[in-house]
């Protein structure tokens, strides 16, 4: 038990669930080659950055922004071919995960596959949801019968389905995904987290559109190269959107972020081109690491992959000594020895390949 989990006589007002939850496990470390957060290795294009700065200067900073970022929501709706009444924006999609847990998880269930993205678990624990984590198959796909059993055992609650999965990069077949989603019926909120869909070429908007309790979660933090601005959004039914909107704090997206994102949505062509380059680099990196002797690079449909090592502590330090910062994932079930590595620029990937080959021989 950590110190924070012990009852403190001075903080009697803090709920037990909050005390018992460990803080989000992230330690920022400076390294020349940052492959630890699945960011785009390239910044927002310089000419768009300039346009965004001009747009910011033209806004009145003394005024509150749009209550629900209406202009931005309409631009997103137009870009995605969605009803604007079904779009919800927040400062990062992590915030929507909190809102979904507030709307459908408090006092109810949260169902996940495991290993998973730690934020789903974190919010579920903080808000006192009954968490169920169903192990993935050995190939990292959804265990469809096991998920169906849990869903039919009864909600209500929230079901999270990342596609592709984090942190494995696995993409389920459309048939498997549908089989799980349909077992949820109307009793569950069904969340398809599509944070990395530009790298997998998958798109589950059609599946989401079929029922009002389904939602696609998307973000500007990855393929758009805008993690620093913090914006994520949900595509869902107007009914679910209006309920999410009730638990959203007023004015939650600031005027400067709104201005910059409007510019990005007016010039979206770069995103597809960047994603194409990353997918090409992912193929090159995984091909170069195909015949490792001791280590193993797992295939992936995202902008990262898992590198399995016999000694993750040593492997992590070996890479860091060569300027490469990656993320440990070896504490999660099924991921013994695994490091998660983001795909970088071609030069960064060359350095990575060289270091991993050297580590494999060492
Ligand atoms: C990176 C990521 C997100 C995006 O989070 P933001 O708060 O929008 O930056 C969402 N889901 C998963 C699984 C991710 O890996």
């Amino acid at each position: 038990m950590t110190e924070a989990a012990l009852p403190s006589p001075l903080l009697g007002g803090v709920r037990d669930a909050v005390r018992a939850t460990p803080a989000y496990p992230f330690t920022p470390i400076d390294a020349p080659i940052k492959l630890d957060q699945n960011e785009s290795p390239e910044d927002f294009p310089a000419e768009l950055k300039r346009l965004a700065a001009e747009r910011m200067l033209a806004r009145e900073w003394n005024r509150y922004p749009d209550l629900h970022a209406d202009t931005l929501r309409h631009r997103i709706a137009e870009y995605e071919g969605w009803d604007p009444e079904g779009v919800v924006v927040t400062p990062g999609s992590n915030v929507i995960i909190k809102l979904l847990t507030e709307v459908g998880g408090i006092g109810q269930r949260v169902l996940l596959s495991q290993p998973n993205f730690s934020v789903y678990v974190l919010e579920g624990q903080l808000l006192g949801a009954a968490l169920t984590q169903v192990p993935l198959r050995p190939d990292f796909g959804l265990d469809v019968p096991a998920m169906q059993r849990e869903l039919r055992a009864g909600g209500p609650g929230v079901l999270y389905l990342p596609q592709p999965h984090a942190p494995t990069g696995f993409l389920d077949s459309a048939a498997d995904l549908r089989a799980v989603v349909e077992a949820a019926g109307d009793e569950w909120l069904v969340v398809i987290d599509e944070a990395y869909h530009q790298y997998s070429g998958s798109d589950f908007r059609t599946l989401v559109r079929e029922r009002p309790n389904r939602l696609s979660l998307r973000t500007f933090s990855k393929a758009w190269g805008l993690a620093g601005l913090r914006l994520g959004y949900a595509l869902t039914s107007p009914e679910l959107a209006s309920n999410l909107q009730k638990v959203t704090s007023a004015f939650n997206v600031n005027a400067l972020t709104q201005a910059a994102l409007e510019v990005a949505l007016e010039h979206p062509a770069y995103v597809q081109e960047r994603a194409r380059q990353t997918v090409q680099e992912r193929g090159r990196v995984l091909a170069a690491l195909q015949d490792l002797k001791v280590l193993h690079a797992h295939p992936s449909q995202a902008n990262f992959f898992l590198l399995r090592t016999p000694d993750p502590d040593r492997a992590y330090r070996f890479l860091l000594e060569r300027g490469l910062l990656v993320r440990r994932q070896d504490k999660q079930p099924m991921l013994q020895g695994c490091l998660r590595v983001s795909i970088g620029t071609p030069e960064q990937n060359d350095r990575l390949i060289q270091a991993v080959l050297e580590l494999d021989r060492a």
Side-chain angles (χ1 to χ4, degrees):
M1 201 193 257
T2 61
E3 208 176 314
L6 293 170
S8 158
L10 300 178
L11 293 175
V14 177
R15 288 184 296 114
D16 290 344
V18 177
R19 273 187 220 280
T21 305
Y24 185 66
F26 184 71
T27 318
I29 294 174
D30 249 348
I33 303 181
K34 223 179 143 318
L35 303 178
D36 65 326
Q37 285 187 289
N38 303 340
E39 296 147 322
S40 164
E42 272 164 311
D43 198 353
F44 189 45
E47 65 280 14
L48 298 187
K49 225 177 179 179
R50 231 178 336 266
L51 285 177
E54 283 165 19
R55 187 88 48 107
M56 287 176 181
L57 289 174
R59 297 275 150 103
E60 293 177 295
W61 295 15
N62 59 323
R63 301 295 176 198
Y64 278 99
D66 245 354
L67 178 60
H68 295 314
D70 286 328
T71 304
L72 180 54
R73 282 175 47 232
H74 278 81
R75 293 276 166 88
I76 291 170
E78 217 170 285
Y79 175 76
E80 296 281 20
W82 206 263
D83 177 354
E85 299 303 315
V87 179
V88 180
V89 295
T90 59
S93 51
N94 280 327
V95 175
I96 303 186
I97 295 170
K98 182 186 282 295
L99 302 182
L100 283 160
T101 314
E102 287 182 17
V103 165
I106 294 180
Q108 307 194 146
R109 296 184 70 192
V110 167
L111 179 59
L112 312 157
S113 56
Q114 191 183 37
N116 52 42
F117 177 48
S118 60
V119 175
Y120 310 139
V121 174
L122 180 73
E123 296 298 351
Q125 284 175 346
L126 284 171
L127 296 171
L131 275 174
T132 306
Q133 305 189 61
V134 175
L136 291 168
R137 297 186 313 235
D139 71 348
F140 297 143
L142 286 169
D143 182 339
V144 175
M147 294 294 284
Q148 288 176 328
R149 268 196 303 278
E150 282 298 336
L151 290 163
R152 290 177 183 141
V158 187
L159 165 67
Y160 287 105
L161 296 166
Q163 293 294 316
H165 286 260
T168 62
F170 187 93
L171 182 73
D172 289 290
S173 72
D176 277 2
L177 186 70
R178 176 173 286 278
V180 173
V181 166
E182 288 185 348
D186 303 321
E187 247 202 323
W188 294 81
L189 299 183
V190 176
V191 182
I192 304 180
D193 187 343
E194 300 196 270
Y196 300 100
H197 79 100
Q198 290 95 341
Y199 306 107
S200 57
S202 54
D203 178 357
F204 293 106
R205 281 176 297 181
T206 305
L207 185 64
V208 167
R209 224 187 287 271
E210 289 172 13
R211 313 283 295 210
N213 60 325
R214 298 179 187 170
L215 180 150
S216 165
L217 192 54
R218 297 183 173 211
T219 180
F220 286 92
S221 298
K222 308 286 159 57
W224 289 80
L226 289 167
L229 297 192
R230 310 305 300 128
L231 201 94
Y233 58 98
L235 302 177
T236 187
S237 61
E239 299 91 313
L240 180 51
S242 69
N243 283 290
L244 284 168
Q245 211 73 73
K246 291 177 202 169
V247 293
T248 309
S249 330
F251 313 111
N252 83 135
V253 178
N254 75 69
L256 305 186
T257 296
Q258 291 188 34
L261 265 297
E262 287 164 27
V263 169
L265 285 157
E266 288 160 20
H267 305 85
Y270 77 96
V271 179
Q272 211 184 347
E273 176 52 23
R274 293 259 186 98
R276 195 192 59 72
Q277 286 167 12
T278 297
V279 168
Q280 188 178 324
E281 279 295 296
R282 178 183 72 205
R284 187 174 75 85
V285 171
L286 291 175
L289 303 181
Q290 204 178 290
D291 297 318
L292 298 173
K293 293 196 298 284
V294 183
L295 310 179
H296 176 68
H298 285 272
S300 167
Q301 296 295 311
N303 66 336
F304 57 83
F305 67 96
L306 290 175
L307 181 67
R308 203 180 285 270
T309 73
D311 183 348
D313 192 50
R314 171 163 179 267
Y316 177 86
R317 281 184 287 108
F318 185 96
L319 295 175
L320 196 55
E321 281 159 14
R322 284 152 188 80
L324 296 149
L325 180 63
V326 302
R327 192 81 182 265
R328 290 185 65 158
Q329 293 287 338
D330 52 291
K331 299 292 187 295
Q332 292 221 47
M334 298 175 71
L335 303 188
Q336 291 83 355
C338 283
L339 306 176
R340 191 195 65 199
V341 185
S342 310
I343 300 296
T345 63
E347 299 71 34
Q348 294 174 338
N349 298 333
D350 285 343
R351 296 266 297 272
L352 173 77
I353 291 167
Q354 210 175 13
V356 173
L357 292 177
E358 195 186 331
L359 174 64
D360 191 52
R361 289 188 300 264

